[in-house]
Amino acid sequence: MSLSVMFDGNELNEILDVTDLRRNVGSPRTNNFQRMSSSQLQRYLGYTKDNAVWEMDFKMKNDLIEKRRGLAALLNVDEPKELIFGDEPDKYVMAVPDGETPVTEQVFLGKGTIQWIVVNGKSYSKDIKQFSFIDDEATVFNNGTDDAPLDIHATFTSDADSIGFVQEEEVVQFGTTITEDEDDFVPSERVIRDGMGPTYRNEWKLNVGRPRFKYDYGEGSSRVTGNVRWVESKVRISDFGTFKEDGPSYWHGPTLTRNLTESLDNFTAYHRFKLKPGGKRKNRPKSLGLLEINYLDADSNFVMGFSLKDNNPNKATIMYDFFIGDHRVFRGYLPNKVLDYTTGIFGYIEMTKIGNEFSFKLCHLKEGFRENWSVKKTYHNDSVAMLSAKTINFYGAQWKQFRDMITEWTSTTVTKINTEDDTLVPLVFYEGDELFVDGQSNRVYINGIRDDNYRVIGSSQFLTAPTGQSEFSIVSDGEADGYLEMRECYL
């Protein structure tokens, strides 16, 4: 039986049989020396390591054209992916094919070689070990053969300016360290943290808001009608209202509106949502939907907003728009790797207004609230900068009687920023915030939002566990519960 080769979740030996595999020992090592003046002696300056190159010979039988094209599709990746060989099914490497993959064909038999570039030449355990902090201390046991990157998970039980994770002389720190002479920093204030479940339903009013898309267009205007259902940590549209077939065409659905306790000149708003086709797989591309999230002032003038729209019944395609005031400042389309009509779009929008600067970040989330794709845009507008946000308005709609989409809002967080200089906005933590640091990619996430700016400049960049036993501590001006996760690493 051929050796199993899993690459990016696909079994390659359904297409090929491995005939030889050359994995070498560790990574290529380059030793560096410096010749000492007036001497034949050389001083050792250390070494550097490169990625490893593994060569895999294979053969293919029958249907060579089809298999060659199938193999090309599986190898066509844009970044290193997990590679697992059947003789070590409990470990994986991050690898990407390199160069050409020539295949010689003789009648029904084809032979070739794949060169795998193995990142850092290291293997990782598929099993994840977890080490909890007890009284701000955690003991990590690494039975691998090399230092292992650590994932950091922390949930804040109080507000905090910063948090650090310490191992001997190594400190990885996040947040903002404010010294006594830094009086320019003004604390931000979280004014809303809404899980969008039944607990929060009394904060919202149904069908009193106005949509942005073609609301004042006479008979063809968008209509406010229908109802929502509050379940656990989300609110879902349960009824888009009725549509008269003999009248004009229009979008129709409910609005949800929440008034802020005060008008905000400067703020950051985070909203998580879902826009998902329903029904049988073959019918899902026919689903149409519109989702809006808008901020308005006390006089119902638009301050800034965002929308998603699928208005093409012939294929799965979703456009997204960013708005400042009454004007659309950007239109884009979700890329194919994000828009899968079998699962729809689940993600978040982050909108920020500081002075005359307006920023948008749209992100698609995969399992575990990890970012899969994002786009960020920043604009300046002096006239709209004078408006203050007082109202949040959601709108979800169905086009005529076409197949609708599952429309949900699952989280709302609004933070008041007390400065008009974005360089002086302290990146702090609030009670209930969740910090996650991906040890392998070194990416920082706050409540599922990637923000590498939370890493304190001057602190260590990576948190790693040496082989054997090691001790880690939490150092913070607040309180947090947490744990470390590790995949053991092998040379």
Side-chain angles (χ1 to χ4, degrees):
M1 185 175 179
S2 177
L3 177 69
S4 171
V5 183
M6 292 288 295
F7 180 62
D8 193 21
N10 300 296
E11 178 57 76
L12 298 191
N13 73 7
E14 295 179 357
I15 296 176
L16 55 80
D17 295 321
V18 177
T19 57
D20 191 25
L21 180 60
R22 298 177 291 281
R23 283 176 281 198
N24 302 321
V25 177
S27 301
R29 173 183 177 127
T30 301
N31 294 302
N32 301 309
F33 296 86
Q34 181 181 48
R35 186 176 298 278
M36 300 177 66
S37 60
S38 303
S39 172
Q40 295 301 314
L41 299 177
Q42 296 191 47
R43 181 172 59 183
Y44 184 59
L45 300 179
Y47 66 92
T48 58
K49 285 190 174 182
D50 203 350
N51 297 325
V53 179
W54 293 0
E55 295 183 334
M56 186 182 82
D57 297 337
F58 65 88
K59 64 180 180 181
M60 298 186 296
K61 294 181 180 179
N62 304 319
D63 303 320
L64 295 184
I65 294 177
E66 179 181 348
K67 289 184 176 179
R68 178 163 46 81
R69 295 189 187 282
L71 180 60
L74 296 180
L75 298 181
N76 185 29
V77 295
D78 53 10
E79 62 182 358
K81 300 291 185 179
E82 284 191 12
L83 175 64
I84 304 171
F85 289 102
D87 56 355
E88 274 194 314
D90 60 337
K91 297 180 180 64
Y92 69 92
V93 298
M94 298 302 295
V96 63
D98 188 48
E100 296 183 355
T101 304
V103 176
T104 59
E105 300 180 18
Q106 295 180 344
V107 191
F108 63 87
L109 181 65
K111 296 181 179 180
T113 300
I114 298 175
Q115 283 195 334
W116 300 105
I117 299 294
V118 177
V119 179
N120 299 322
K122 297 180 181 180
S123 299
Y124 300 91
S125 172
K126 289 185 67 65
D127 294 330
I128 300 175
K129 291 186 175 182
Q130 189 176 110
F131 307 92
S132 297
F133 283 97
I134 302 175
D135 294 331
D136 293 338
E137 302 285 340
T139 301
V140 174
F141 298 93
N142 180 5
N143 296 319
T145 61
D146 195 20
D147 294 353
L150 291 169
D151 292 348
I152 299 171
H153 297 261
T155 300
F156 288 85
T157 56
S158 73
D159 294 351
D161 290 330
S162 67
I163 188 170
F165 299 87
V166 184
Q167 193 269 325
E168 292 185 352
E169 301 299 323
E170 184 178 65
V171 180
V172 178
Q173 195 167 10
F174 307 92
T176 300
T177 56
I178 303 175
T179 61
E180 294 180 358
D181 59 349
E182 290 177 311
D183 296 330
D184 290 333
F185 280 106
V186 182
S188 300
E189 302 172 47
R190 177 165 294 167
V191 294
I192 292 178
R193 180 165 185 160
D194 191 329
M196 302 305 296
T199 304
Y200 306 93
R201 66 182 303 168
N202 292 334
E203 303 291 338
W204 299 83
K205 295 181 179 180
L206 180 69
N207 294 341
V208 299
R210 69 184 182 100
R212 179 188 288 270
F213 183 72
K214 291 188 176 180
Y215 183 57
D216 297 318
Y217 274 59
E219 290 189 348
S221 299
S222 296
R223 307 290 174 86
V224 178
T225 180
N227 211 336
V228 299
R229 183 163 57 97
W230 299 82
V231 289
E232 295 185 46
S233 58
K234 60 188 176 185
V235 55
R236 172 185 289 189
I237 294 181
S238 58
D239 178 12
F240 290 92
T242 59
F243 173 78
K244 295 182 179 180
E245 293 288 352
D246 57 351
S249 301
Y250 53 83
W251 290 95
H252 55 98
T255 62
L256 277 178
T257 303
R258 178 168 178 169
N259 291 321
L260 304 172
T261 55
E262 62 176 307
S263 295
L264 303 181
D265 295 326
N266 304 300
F267 62 91
T268 291
Y270 166 84
H271 298 277
R272 203 162 57 231
F273 56 81
K274 179 186 289 185
L275 190 66
K276 176 182 178 180
K280 295 182 179 180
R281 180 187 178 99
K282 66 178 181 179
N283 293 324
R284 291 174 185 170
K286 301 176 183 178
S287 298
L288 304 181
L290 170 65
L291 179 151
E292 292 184 356
I293 300 175
N294 292 302
Y295 278 73
L296 300 88
D297 71 359
D299 297 320
S300 295
N301 298 305
F302 287 115
V303 179
M304 65 188 308
F306 154 79
S307 72
L308 288 170
K309 186 193 298 180
D310 183 344
N311 60 359
N312 189 335
N314 299 315
K315 65 177 181 178
T317 178
I318 292 182
M319 67 180 71
Y320 60 93
D321 292 326
F322 299 150
F323 298 92
I324 298 175
D326 293 324
H327 303 289
R328 184 179 70 220
V329 293
F330 184 80
R331 167 167 287 179
Y333 291 83
L334 298 181
N336 290 333
K337 77 171 186 175
V338 169
L339 186 59
D340 179 352
Y341 66 79
T342 64
T343 59
I345 171 70
F346 173 64
Y348 71 78
I349 181 69
E350 186 179 44
M351 297 184 286
T352 301
K353 175 183 179 293
I354 302 178
N356 68 348
E357 183 174 282
F358 297 78
S359 298
F360 302 82
K361 181 181 179 182
L362 173 62
C363 178
H364 174 262
L365 297 172
K366 55 184 179 181
E367 185 179 355
F369 298 122
R370 304 289 190 266
E371 291 192 10
N372 187 42
W373 168 88
S374 66
V375 59
K376 187 172 183 178
K377 300 291 182 180
T378 299
Y379 305 91
H380 292 84
N381 187 300
D382 291 329
S383 58
V384 182
M386 302 175 65
L387 302 181
S388 301
K390 178 62 176 177
T391 301
I392 309 170
N393 192 71
F394 297 161
Y395 179 54
Q398 175 186 17
W399 175 246
K400 298 170 60 174
Q401 288 298 95
F402 277 74
R403 180 180 295 274
D404 61 72
M405 300 182 79
I406 298 170
T407 307
E408 296 176 351
W409 296 275
T410 64
S411 182
T412 292
T413 302
V414 180
T415 301
K416 177 184 177 183
I417 299 175
N418 293 311
T419 177
E420 291 195 358
D421 185 344
D422 60 352
T423 65
L424 298 178
V425 178
L427 301 174
V428 299
F429 304 99
Y430 298 92
E431 181 180 353
D433 277 353
E434 296 179 358
L435 167 68
F436 169 69
V437 183
D438 188 321
Q440 286 195 347
S441 67
N442 209 27
R443 295 172 178 173
V444 180
Y445 298 87
I446 309 297
N447 301 320
I449 305 174
R450 183 181 174 185
D451 194 339
D452 296 332
N453 292 322
Y454 267 81
R455 188 181 296 279
V456 174
I457 297 174
S459 70
S460 302
Q461 292 299 300
F462 297 91
L463 192 68
T464 57
T467 57
Q469 177 179 323
S470 53
E471 307 294 331
F472 293 82
S473 303
I474 291 178
V475 178
S476 176
D477 60 328
E479 300 293 333
D481 296 326
Y483 58 92
L484 303 173
E485 284 189 329
M486 175 189 69
R487 295 179 187 268
E488 288 172 335
C489 186
Y490 301 86
L491 295 171

